[in-house]
Amino acid sequence: MPSKIFSVSIFGFECRRVEVEVDILNGLASITIVGLGDASVQESKERIRSAIKNSGAEYPRRKKTINLAPADLKKHGPMFDLPIALGLLMQSSQLPSNCMDNTMAVGELSLSGELRRIPGVLPAVSYAKQIGFSSIIIPEENSAEASIISGINVIPAPDLATLISHLRGEHKIPFVKTENYGETFTPADCWHFEDIRGHENSKRALTIAAAGQHNILLFGPPGSGKTLLARSFRSILPPLSFEEAIEVTKIYSIAGRLSTNEALICSPPFRPIHHTASAVSLVGGGSIPRPGEISLAHHGVLFLDELLEFQRGTLDCLRQPLEDGHISVTRIAGTSKFPAQFTLIAATNPCACGYFGDPVKACICTPTRLEQYRKKLSGPLLDRIDLMCYVPRLPFDKINQLVGSEPSELLQKRVMVARQLQRERYSDGEKSGPRTNGKIASTEIRKRCGVSDEAMRLLKDAFLKFHYSGRAYHSILKVSRTIADMENSKEILPQHIAEALQYRPRFENANE
Ligand SMILES: Nc1ncnc2c1ncn2[C@@H]1O[C@H](COP(=O)(O)OP(=O)(O)OP(=O)(O)O)[C@@H](O)[C@H]1O
Ligand SMILES: [Mg+2]
């Protein structure tokens, strides 16, 4: 009877169970791996032979056949090294035949038999628990991320020799201790709003954006403080809930971006993107799909500085994920769906010279140049931005003042109160759906937001006057709802609509 070890294959964001069957038959010494393994799976033969020999065990000499089932699922990565090695040791009676009952194994072997850190351990452990395994063997270096999941025994193996002795019952490896991360939050290490002088309007707009997870565009002349404001946005964001933190950490684990001692990512990610970034790096891809920047910004912020310097095609890639909260990446090997629910912060100059709309400095752009510059920003992308805010150059007495504005800590508390109200409002619907005004489906917002008659009249007048799109109509309602939540108002009142309308200036009339 062949030995059977269970492992896991990760494709995109999805885990699948893999059965590693190992058989040793009479015949010339050889090893064959079947079951659609890629080059890294085929190369594992060499690593496994050396690792077994260097761990004090015997590498079986006869004809060895390894089958990775299901046979129609493409397997990639070196994580099958460990289950194959264990299968060979079991089949050659060097390990008890029942030592892997109800246990999964993942890990890459070095030639000396050490277990190397691999990406995707957190989703693998979570999946093993979900499908009913009682234990999982992982590389010791991945222990931190695995410590988040309770209800499954996680065995952290430093090397094959130690693991062999554990499975023979000689020296037991202690299970990874489950840590309680429920309350952990490290304050964001960034600029704070109190360090930035003036810009009360922009700070208010950013607070609304944080409270309702609305996309925001900051535009204004060079050096006025747009980048500074955007980078301080992190300081007013609430910590991630435990479920959100696990989702974010899973993405970073799959992308191989968790450091050895990083267990759970508790603060919302902030991903500043350079304008030379390619579409693939932004949305994800590769022959085996990897999460892109928009997924790494899940539950956090994607910051596009100098927005109009980006390629138009790159920006257009953001349209679908901004709407759906996820991205589907299709490659020959299959389609992967990654979560991508992020707040977009964009910053730009209003024109090529930067001074269009400045009350003092004259803009020197010709109308054609102005149009060419603006053309890069597609209408549909602009339509998905809920708040637009002009960041002016500050007069001397403002920039020179010593007293700061309201501290980030206070604004963060306000944001947290508004988020709690939204969570209560939207938590009766779909279990894992969005819980903020900015991310809720447009079909939901009109039903759930409660607008006073007077406020509705004001919205209608504005709609008729400015010829808003259907999306803009919903966006105004969503922003008004957030402003009302920040004041703990049950209904959207005219002043909330009026303020929301202020954040929809026509881009051309920057300074009006
Ligand atoms: N309101 C402010 N309070 C404190 N410092 C400021 C303020 N505005 C600008 N600065 C200073 O000016 C520098 C430039 O600001 P920032 O990079 O945010 O400008 P910007 O609007 O992004 O310019 P650009 O359009 O050229 O990118 C900051 O690093 C900061 O030192
Ligand atoms: Mg800047």
Side-chain angles (χ1 to χ4, degrees):
M1 272 271 285
S3 304
K4 196 192 280 182
I5 317 274
F6 290 98
S7 190
V8 60
S9 162
I10 301 177
F11 186 82
F13 203 58
E14 199 191 330
C15 292
R16 291 273 300 272
R17 192 176 78 161
V18 171
E19 285 178 31
V20 180
E21 291 178 297
V22 179
D23 206 1
I24 302 180
L25 306 161
N26 285 330
L28 282 178
S30 65
I31 178 164
T32 314
I33 301 180
V34 296
L36 286 190
D38 70 358
S40 59
V41 176
Q42 294 304 329
E43 284 173 355
S44 68
K45 297 170 191 170
E46 305 305 321
R47 291 191 293 270
I48 291 165
R49 187 185 9 223
S50 290
I52 290 182
K53 281 188 173 168
N54 292 326
S55 302
E58 197 185 318
Y59 183 69
R61 305 204 77 178
R62 291 177 292 158
K63 180 178 161 55
K64 300 161 285 287
T65 306
I66 288 118
N67 179 33
L68 306 177
D72 62 341
L73 177 76
K74 288 198 173 172
K75 329 281 182 318
H76 64 93
M79 64 212 296
F80 302 108
D81 288 7
L82 181 63
I84 296 174
L86 292 176
L88 287 171
L89 294 172
M90 277 163 69
Q91 194 62 9
S92 55
S93 308
Q94 298 181 69
L95 282 176
S97 58
N98 62 351
C99 70
M100 289 299 289
D101 286 354
N102 221 350
T103 304
M104 245 189 196
V106 288
E108 174 186 339
L109 286 168
S110 73
L111 296 187
S112 60
E114 276 158 24
L115 273 161
R116 287 188 200 276
R117 185 180 166 75
I118 52 164
V121 163
L122 174 60
V125 174
S126 157
Y127 177 72
K129 179 191 164 187
Q130 186 197 326
I131 59 170
F133 280 83
S134 62
S135 312
I136 181 167
I137 302 171
I138 60 159
E140 190 184 33
E141 277 190 56
N142 287 99
S143 302
E145 57 188 291
S147 69
I148 301 163
I149 309 285
S150 58
I152 181 165
N153 300 327
V154 181
I155 303 157
D159 52 62
L160 191 59
T162 316
L163 183 61
I164 292 172
S165 129
H166 168 88
L167 293 171
R168 284 177 181 159
E170 294 160 5
H171 291 288
K172 282 282 171 198
I173 302 174
F175 298 143
V176 171
K177 220 171 120 231
T178 314
E179 302 285 347
N180 182 12
Y181 292 96
E183 300 295 315
T184 318
F185 177 59
T186 3
D189 177 21
C190 62
W191 272 66
H192 286 235
F193 275 10
E194 59 268 34
D195 304 324
I196 305 173
R197 293 180 284 274
H199 293 315
E200 276 74 21
N201 274 350
S202 314
K203 287 175 185 168
R204 166 81 180 163
L206 285 165
T207 313
I208 297 170
Q213 287 190 317
H214 299 286
N215 304 321
I216 181 168
L217 172 70
L218 302 171
F219 64 108
S224 59
K226 301 179 293 295
T227 305
L228 204 57
L229 282 161
R231 286 188 180 271
S232 343
F233 185 71
R234 287 181 81 182
S235 65
I236 59 165
L237 287 176
L240 298 175
S241 70
F242 187 62
E243 287 71 28
E244 288 170 342
I246 288 202
E247 258 183 70
V248 172
T249 315
K250 273 186 185 173
I251 298 172
Y252 278 72
S253 172
I254 288 172
R257 286 176 185 251
L258 282 180
S259 56
T260 318
N261 30 17
E262 197 168 19
L264 192 64
I265 299 175
C266 302
S267 27
F270 184 89
R271 306 291 305 177
I273 314 294
H274 193 257
H275 59 79
T276 51
S278 67
V280 169
S281 70
L282 210 56
V283 298
S287 55
I288 307 297
R290 286 287 177 114
E293 288 294 341
I294 58 168
S295 298
L296 294 171
H298 184 54
H299 289 314
V301 180
L302 187 79
F303 175 39
L304 305 185
D305 206 357
E306 313 298 349
L307 182 70
L308 294 189
E309 301 299 333
F310 281 78
Q311 297 282 333
R312 168 87 187 258
T314 313
L315 291 181
D316 281 346
C317 289
L318 295 174
R319 285 163 51 181
Q320 184 240 331
L322 275 173
E323 201 89 343
D324 303 341
H326 61 80
I327 177 84
S328 295
V329 183
T330 305
R331 293 291 179 271
I332 298 172
T335 299
S336 301
K337 190 169 142 184
F338 290 106
Q341 201 189 86
F342 56 90
T343 304
L344 174 71
I345 301 189
T348 185
N349 295 135
C351 64
C353 81
Y355 291 99
F356 184 88
D358 192 283
V360 182
K361 264 195 153 172
C363 169
I364 52 162
C365 299
T366 60
T368 328
R369 202 160 167 226
L370 208 57
E371 204 186 313
Q372 271 171 355
Y373 190 74
R374 302 262 173 86
K375 252 191 184 163
K376 284 193 186 171
L377 193 62
S378 75
L381 181 69
L382 210 57
D383 220 24
R384 283 165 173 82
I385 289 174
D386 295 329
L387 300 155
M388 287 181 227
C389 181
Y390 184 69
V391 183
R393 275 187 313 126
L394 292 182
F396 180 76
D397 43 344
K398 276 257 178 184
I399 192 79
N400 194 37
Q401 71 192 6
L402 284 177
V403 281
S405 60
E406 286 183 303
S408 288
E409 211 184 325
L410 191 83
L411 298 178
Q412 189 197 37
K413 282 199 181 116
R414 234 174 262 165
V415 168
M416 283 162 88
V417 171
R419 286 270 184 105
Q420 180 56 29
L421 285 175
Q422 296 168 70
R423 238 192 317 276
E424 284 164 17
R425 183 177 315 120
Y426 302 124
S427 57
D428 54 340
E430 223 182 291
K431 216 176 165 208
S432 57
R435 300 270 187 275
T436 50
N437 297 323
K439 302 299 172 203
I440 200 85
S442 296
T443 44
E444 283 291 298
I445 190 75
R446 179 68 190 93
K447 283 186 247 162
R448 314 286 287 269
C449 65
V451 194
S452 78
D453 295 343
E454 213 182 320
M456 196 43 95
R457 265 197 299 280
L458 180 61
L459 178 58
K460 187 179 169 190
D461 288 349
F463 189 85
L464 295 175
K465 186 166 178 207
F466 296 110
H467 310 290
Y468 288 134
S469 67
R471 194 183 284 120
Y473 157 84
H474 285 115
S475 154
I476 296 164
L477 270 185
K478 288 176 179 185
V479 174
S480 319
R481 186 60 259 173
T482 305
I483 299 170
D485 283 336
M486 285 167 75
E487 287 178 11
N488 205 355
S489 164
K490 266 200 160 20
E491 271 198 325
I492 297 178
L493 302 172
Q495 64 267 33
H496 305 141
I497 296 272
E499 187 175 356
L501 289 171
Q502 268 184 44
Y503 298 118
R504 297 202 70 83
R506 297 216 315 273
F507 197 58
E508 306 87 68
N509 303 329
N511 202 26
E512 280 178 14

